[in-house]
Amino acid sequence: MRRRDFLLSAVGGTLAAFGSFDDILPLNAAGRAEAGDAEIPYGAAVKTELLDVDVQYTDAIKRYCRMIVGEGGLKWADLRPQPETFDFTQADRQLEFADANGMTMRGHTLVWYAAMPDWALNLATPLAAELELVNHIETVLDRYRGRIPSWDVVNEPIADDPSGRDVIRPSVWSEQLGRGYIETSLRTAAEADPNAQLIINDFNFEKPTTQCRRRRAAMIDLLRELKDNGVPLHGLGLQGHLTGASEIDQDGLSRFVEDVNELELDVLVTELDVIDDKLPGNVHVRDQIVASRVKDYLDAITDVVQPKAILTWGISDRYTWVPMWFSRSDGLPNRPLPLDDKYQPKALFSVLQQYTSI
Ligand code: XIL
């Protein structure tokens, strides 16, 4: 039985229905909330070039995070500029920062369709693709074995709008190896680091749309198939790039998380933020809606399981990927993250205090 089944829903179309999320809990000297922290570890994606360079940014990461993940650094475009090159500079720096500050680091990501160097996009035979894939995973995990405990092994494997036989997202990997690239990647990762938590990471499961319903079904089918075949897999990462203008399909999301849980897989929230390009410009109104979307999202998940971690994709509105693809037509800056561009906690921060160690 889900906790929400006992509660009255407060969701509605007007701001009044969103309630207020303005009450930031008092912080102790270490900057942690005094009360209400349910102790799901909180973390954020970091930009390597800002660590120990932008002092305010670095302080915010140190103050609020128990985990970090690189926004880049481990992606093929960063790590593999040439076929023969592994450039570990960024990831080493991130790990050094995490270690120096008592944080853990998640690895993002070993296999993705995007952020690929041209040479890898041009792998032209199944044999060449498999050799590169296996060599890549082995080399990266050999280097970080025992030091990066959790990996997004496969990122975004489900097609945008899965239908019929086109359920897996097209990539050089699926073109050359079919859907078997997912199993190969997981088996290779488990052999290279038997203790690592191996995750499949994906987005867009939470809207009340047919597309999201199909995406959830396709993901569950994939996870079940992998488990049935004894493939080493430990959890599903829900990216959580929420669409501010859409309600959360709480029932659909809760049922999805139940299905994942029944497969004995962990759930993590790996890249949380709220895409606010279509929300009202008024900052107060916008921040309340952003906070309420995250509350609805985390309520639906935590009704069923405690996620092993909750990470936002960045920490301050000052540095966010959102305007790369979702800038606002009124020219106002996006506000997708828990701290504003001056590092002041926003309504979203107070929502995260209710669930996490932030
Ligand atoms: C984004 C980064 O934030 C950008 O800086 C980068 O240039 C492009 O990728 N889903 C993911 C992340 O899994 O890797 C993406 O990160 C955001 C969407």
Side-chain angles (χ1 to χ4, degrees), residues 45 47 70-72 75 108-109 112 114-115 152 155-156 201-203 239 241 270-271 273 313 320-322 324-325:
K47 291 184 177 296
E71 253 194 79
K75 293 173 179 170
H108 175 82
T109 176
W112 193 24
D152 294 332
N155 198 33
E156 303 180 346
N201 196 46
D202 214 325
F203 70 110
Q239 290 186 359
H241 293 294
T270 50
E271 306 187 13
D273 59 13
W313 203 245
T320 159
W321 73 295
V322 169
M324 286 173 59
W325 291 350

Side-chain angles (χ1 to χ4, degrees), residues 110-111 132-142 185 188-189 192:
L110 293 168
V111 188
E132 276 301 338
L133 184 70
V134 167
N135 176 47
H136 179 90
I137 294 171
E138 284 176 348
T139 306
V140 176
L141 289 198
D142 273 355
S185 302
T188 306

Side-chain angles (χ1 to χ4, degrees), residues 105-111 136-138 140-142 144-157 181-202 219 222-223 226-227 230-238 260 263-268 270 308:
M105 175 166 160
R106 301 201 63 247
H108 175 82
T109 176
L110 293 168
V111 188
H136 179 90
I137 294 171
E138 284 176 348
V140 176
L141 289 198
D142 273 355
Y144 296 118
R145 190 183 303 112
R147 299 166 65 210
I148 295 183
S150 175
W151 283 92
D152 294 332
V153 179
V154 181
N155 198 33
E156 303 180 346
Y181 87 87
I182 299 169
E183 174 166 350
T184 302
S185 302
L186 289 161
R187 288 194 188 280
T188 306
E191 257 181 54
D193 186 351
N195 293 319
Q197 180 191 47
L198 306 181
I199 300 296
I200 289 180
N201 196 46
D202 214 325
M219 178 57 90
L222 172 65
L223 298 177
L226 293 168
K227 290 291 281 188
V231 178
L233 171 68
H234 307 114
L236 177 65
L238 302 173
V260 175
L263 292 169
E264 299 182 341
L265 293 168
D266 287 340
V267 172
L268 289 78
T270 50
K308 292 288 184 244

Side-chain angles (χ1 to χ4, degrees), residues 276-283 286 326-335:
D276 63 337
D277 57 336
K278 301 282 188 327
L279 293 182
N282 178 286
V283 162
R286 192 155 27 125
F326 305 101
S327 65
R328 294 177 57 87
S329 58
D330 60 12
L332 291 172
N334 298 94
R335 300 176 63 86

Side-chain angles (χ1 to χ4, degrees), residues 70-347:
E71 253 194 79
L74 285 166
K75 293 173 179 170
W76 281 60
D78 299 323
L79 204 54
R80 306 296 307 282
Q82 314 297 336
E84 60 284 350
T85 311
F86 283 82
D87 180 352
F88 290 111
T89 321
Q90 280 202 59
D92 282 0
R93 175 72 196 103
Q94 293 160 5
L95 185 54
E96 180 191 39
F97 178 85
D99 287 347
N101 293 289
M103 302 171 192
T104 56
M105 175 166 160
R106 301 201 63 247
H108 175 82
T109 176
L110 293 168
V111 188
W112 193 24
Y113 77 97
M116 289 282 278
D118 283 345
W119 69 264
L121 289 174
N122 293 328
L123 291 166
T125 66
L127 182 62
E130 183 161 346
L131 283 174
E132 276 301 338
L133 184 70
V134 167
N135 176 47
H136 179 90
I137 294 171
E138 284 176 348
T139 306
V140 176
L141 289 198
D142 273 355
R143 183 177 187 90
Y144 296 118
R145 190 183 303 112
R147 299 166 65 210
I148 295 183
S150 175
W151 283 92
D152 294 332
V153 179
V154 181
N155 198 33
E156 303 180 346
I158 300 297
D160 257 336
D161 195 358
S163 65
R165 294 175 63 245
D166 295 327
V167 166
I168 301 298
R169 184 183 292 278
S171 66
V172 66
W173 310 119
S174 67
E175 272 157 35
Q176 295 301 337
L177 303 170
R179 63 195 282 137
Y181 87 87
I182 299 169
E183 174 166 350
T184 302
S185 302
L186 289 161
R187 288 194 188 280
T188 306
E191 257 181 54
D193 186 351
N195 293 319
Q197 180 191 47
L198 306 181
I199 300 296
I200 289 180
N201 196 46
D202 214 325
F203 70 110
N204 199 16
F205 297 116
E206 61 278 339
K207 292 200 269 290
T209 60
T210 311
Q211 180 190 9
C212 279
R213 198 156 25 81
R214 288 204 197 107
R215 289 182 53 79
R216 294 193 296 261
M219 178 57 90
I220 293 298
D221 286 349
L222 172 65
L223 298 177
R224 186 170 291 126
E225 173 189 309
L226 293 168
K227 290 291 281 188
D228 285 350
N229 292 339
V231 178
L233 171 68
H234 307 114
L236 177 65
L238 302 173
Q239 290 186 359
H241 293 294
L242 308 184
T243 300
S246 170
E247 285 184 18
I248 303 292
D249 177 358
Q250 289 193 297
D251 279 331
L253 182 58
S254 287
R255 258 182 274 120
F256 178 57
V257 170
E258 273 178 353
D259 290 344
V260 175
N261 196 37
E262 274 166 22
L263 292 169
E264 299 182 341
L265 293 168
D266 287 340
V267 172
L268 289 78
V269 177
T270 50
E271 306 187 13
L272 189 58
D273 59 13
V274 181
I275 296 166
D276 63 337
D277 57 336
K278 301 282 188 327
L279 293 182
N282 178 286
V283 162
H284 179 73
V285 173
R286 192 155 27 125
D287 287 357
Q288 297 297 315
I289 298 174
V290 162
S292 105
R293 297 300 183 215
V294 169
K295 182 174 182 346
D296 289 352
Y297 183 72
L298 295 181
D299 269 350
I301 297 169
T302 58
D303 263 356
V304 181
V305 295
Q306 287 282 96
K308 292 288 184 244
I310 295 179
L311 298 96
T312 50
W313 203 245
I315 195 164
S316 152
D317 295 336
R318 182 177 287 240
Y319 303 111
T320 159
W321 73 295
V322 169
M324 286 173 59
W325 291 350
F326 305 101
S327 65
R328 294 177 57 87
S329 58
D330 60 12
L332 291 172
N334 298 94
R335 300 176 63 86
L337 288 166
L339 303 177
D340 71 13
D341 62 355
K342 307 224 162 33
Y343 297 95
Q344 294 308 302
K346 296 158 53 188

